[in-house]
Amino acid sequence: MKPYRIPQLAKPYTDYDMIQRHTELPPFSDGRGHLLYIFLGRCREADFQQGELFTLVTGLVQLGLDTHESIDRNHQEPGRYYAYPPAEGSGR
C-alpha cells in the first residue's frame, strides 16, 4: 500500500495565493481524512486512485465548510477575513 499523501495533494489548493492573501484557513482535517482513506482502501470495489480522490475532495469540502462557518469580518482591515479571530494585541 502506498503512503498516505492527501495533505500533500491538498497543498496546491490550500496554498493558492488569493486564499493566502485574504483568509486564514483552519487546519486540514488530517485525522478524519486518514480514517476515510483507510476505510476506502479496505473496500474491495474501490480503486486506489478513486479512494485518494474521494478523500482529497472530502477533505477540501470540509475545509471549505469549516472556513465558511468561522469567518469573522474584521472592521479594522477592510477586505481581510479571518477564519479564526486574531488574538488581542497581535497587531492584526
Side-chain angles (χ1 to χ4, degrees):
M1 180 178 239
K2 293 185 180 180
Y4 178 72
R5 61 188 192 124
I6 302 303
Q8 290 83 15
L9 293 174
K11 281 273 186 219
Y13 303 104
T14 59
D15 289 349
Y16 189 70
D17 64 341
M18 291 297 285
I19 293 172
Q20 294 292 322
R21 192 175 310 140
H22 296 288
T23 62
E24 289 183 16
L25 296 176
F28 190 75
S29 60
D30 193 29
R32 286 182 278 179
H34 202 166
L35 184 63
L36 177 61
Y37 178 76
I38 291 169
F39 176 77
L40 291 173
R42 297 275 183 195
C43 296
R44 299 196 188 281
E45 300 167 6
D47 181 22
F48 175 75
Q49 289 179 338
Q50 282 185 332
E52 255 187 3
L53 176 64
F54 295 156
T55 304
L56 174 62
V57 170
T58 302
L60 290 173
V61 167
Q62 185 63 51
L63 183 66
L65 290 171
D66 291 346
T67 303
H68 178 72
E69 188 175 273
S70 59
I71 293 290
D72 183 30
R73 177 85 166 133
N74 186 349
H75 298 288
Q76 296 170 351
E77 294 182 57
R80 178 83 178 168
Y81 294 90
Y82 292 94
Y84 295 100
E88 289 186 33
S90 67
R92 295 203 229 162

